[in-house]
Amino acid sequence: MMKFYCAWFALSTVLISMPLTGCSVQKANDIERRDILVEDAEIAPEPMIGRPLSMQRAGDYLLILDNKTDSLAHLVDVACGRYAGDFVAKGVGPGEFGNVVMFSTIPGRDDAFTLLRADNRDLYVAEVEGTDSLYLTYTRILNLDTWNVGSLADGGYIGTDGYVEYPEIFTMFDREGHVTGHYGDRMPEDRAAKAGNVAMTAAYQFGFAVSPDGRKVVAIASGDEAAAFFRLEADTLRAVNQFRNSSMKHRFADGQYLGVDGHEEVRFLEGTADNERVYILYDGRQLDDSNWTGNMLWVYDWDGNKVGEYALSRRVRAMTAPDEFGRIYAISQDGTDPILVSFSVR
């Protein structure tokens, strides 16, 4: 959905902000290192964000999942720099949602998101409607037995789940919601096999990001330093590369499946991707000092090669994929209530 009356605002914002993106550029071993300036996003009125869990961007729109406000989602029109309001009403009545666990984008759609409900795992498409006044309409698509979901180029879906009876990271579904296979190696320690699949999937949790074209997927460890890169081929995922650079030790006997005792270093937090790069937020502090935000952005190509390390001027979380100008939106909580910020990686 293109809104030409907003085009002048978007262009002027890019032209003003581009010279401020960073300094201290150097390259070593084909890895670019750069300092990145993180700025408050120019949105009016400013969204009152409570407890942000995730954020996605589709076209001109940001959808922020927030479980501490009267509704479950904030809608922001970044092209016009305006906050459209909060949506996805909480409740059990018609058109209300008990909880939403995940938003995701849809390949080829710039005005719609998928919403996965936590209570019954029904998947909805939420479409942005209107021009001067924006609102969301919801259509139930199907039921998917997964906790997180992403849409693929072939019309199918990919998901991750917790405490499952299989060791793989991903479950793939066809467009009707039928399971077509499990993919991805959690790369556990040798002794983890003795703990069983449930303990292992808890210890080696992964999130994921899907490229906007829906043809590439990356699994990103939660708290650890590990990732695996895949490409969609026909109706399967082909593993391209994977790594684990970790010294974390999981205390399975004590039920410490996450392997973090308060003094373990937190590494990867979350990630996002465009069609050329994967952007992973890195923390590096000990768990008892961390509020699950990071100020380092590690960048990889889709072959799993590290190509960049960016130092952010503020700690952030809940990043969006870069847009055509390289601009990423995120949430910052550096000693303040959560606020929407942005920065450029080009």
Side-chain angles (χ1 to χ4, degrees):
M1 179 184 296
M2 180 64 70
K3 298 186 293 301
F4 293 102
Y5 62 89
C6 297
W8 67 271
F9 179 89
L11 180 59
S12 63
T13 300
V14 171
L15 292 177
I16 292 172
S17 61
M18 286 296 283
L20 301 176
T21 55
C23 56
S24 304
V25 179
Q26 60 178 341
K27 275 198 171 185
N29 300 324
D30 295 324
I31 296 177
E32 181 183 69
R33 294 177 171 87
R34 181 155 44 108
D35 297 330
I36 300 289
L37 179 65
V38 178
E39 304 176 284
D40 290 1
E42 298 295 331
I43 304 296
E46 182 179 330
M48 300 300 293
I49 303 170
R51 186 182 175 216
L53 299 181
S54 65
M55 180 165 62
Q56 293 283 349
R57 177 172 180 174
D60 292 336
Y61 306 112
L62 296 178
L63 204 58
I64 305 169
L65 177 61
D66 188 346
N67 73 348
K68 202 176 180 181
T69 52
D70 292 338
S71 298
L72 290 167
H74 303 281
L75 180 63
V76 178
D77 181 347
V78 294
C80 292
R82 60 174 173 168
Y83 175 51
D86 54 353
F87 299 89
V88 192
K90 291 180 181 177
V92 295
E96 296 179 332
F97 292 75
N99 194 6
V100 174
V101 293
M102 181 59 65
F103 299 129
S104 61
T105 54
I106 304 171
R109 295 290 303 271
D110 61 2
D111 60 351
F113 304 82
T114 59
L115 279 66
L116 182 66
R117 292 182 60 161
D119 49 357
N120 57 17
R121 304 196 186 189
D122 279 348
L123 186 68
Y124 289 76
V125 170
E127 297 182 87
V128 183
E129 305 283 354
T131 52
D132 294 333
S133 179
L134 300 178
Y135 59 95
L136 293 178
T137 60
Y138 315 104
T139 304
R140 181 186 179 279
I141 303 300
L142 45 75
N143 183 270
L144 287 178
D145 187 16
T146 185
W147 283 3
N148 299 326
V149 65
S151 298
L152 299 175
D154 62 358
Y157 304 93
I158 190 168
T160 57
D161 219 327
Y163 317 132
V164 293
E165 296 301 325
Y166 50 84
E168 293 86 1
I169 300 170
F170 294 121
T171 300
M172 279 187 64
F173 305 87
D174 62 21
R175 62 183 64 232
E176 283 78 36
H178 303 124
V179 175
T180 60
H182 300 293
Y183 301 88
D185 180 5
R186 293 181 185 270
M187 297 173 279
E189 305 170 62
D190 291 339
R191 64 191 180 92
K194 300 178 182 179
N197 288 338
V198 172
M200 188 170 65
T201 56
Y204 298 91
Q205 291 281 6
F206 281 80
F208 68 91
V210 182
S211 62
D213 62 12
R215 298 187 178 279
K216 297 178 284 289
V217 180
V218 58
I220 300 167
S222 176
D224 205 347
E225 187 182 328
F229 302 79
F230 302 84
R231 296 180 187 270
L232 179 67
E233 293 187 354
D235 57 352
T236 64
L237 287 181
R238 177 177 64 86
V240 175
N241 196 2
Q242 65 181 29
F243 63 83
R244 177 179 290 281
N245 305 319
S246 175
S247 60
M248 301 177 96
K249 300 298 181 183
H250 302 282
R251 303 194 305 276
F252 293 105
D254 299 331
Q256 300 293 327
Y257 294 153
L258 290 178
V260 285
D261 59 4
H263 301 291
E264 185 66 66
E265 184 181 275
V266 179
R267 299 181 182 183
F268 288 173
L269 298 176
E270 61 180 74
T272 185
D274 57 25
N275 289 328
E276 290 77 38
R277 297 285 187 267
V278 174
Y279 304 83
I280 299 178
L281 191 61
Y282 181 93
D283 188 353
R285 297 180 298 175
Q286 292 182 346
L287 181 68
D288 48 7
D289 297 325
S290 177
N291 60 357
W292 292 95
T293 60
N295 64 347
M296 288 294 298
L297 193 63
W298 288 8
V299 186
Y300 297 83
D301 63 23
W302 277 106
D303 291 325
N305 303 306
K306 193 174 187 180
V307 295
E309 292 183 359
Y310 300 157
L312 306 180
S313 64
R314 293 157 72 174
R315 304 190 70 86
V316 303
R317 57 166 302 180
M319 303 179 303
T320 67
D323 61 18
E324 60 184 310
F325 304 108
R327 183 152 297 275
I328 290 176
Y329 288 87
I331 303 294
S332 179
Q333 295 175 254
D334 264 347
T336 66
D337 291 334
I339 58 173
L340 187 63
V341 296
S342 68
F343 54 93
S344 178
V345 292
R346 293 180 190 165

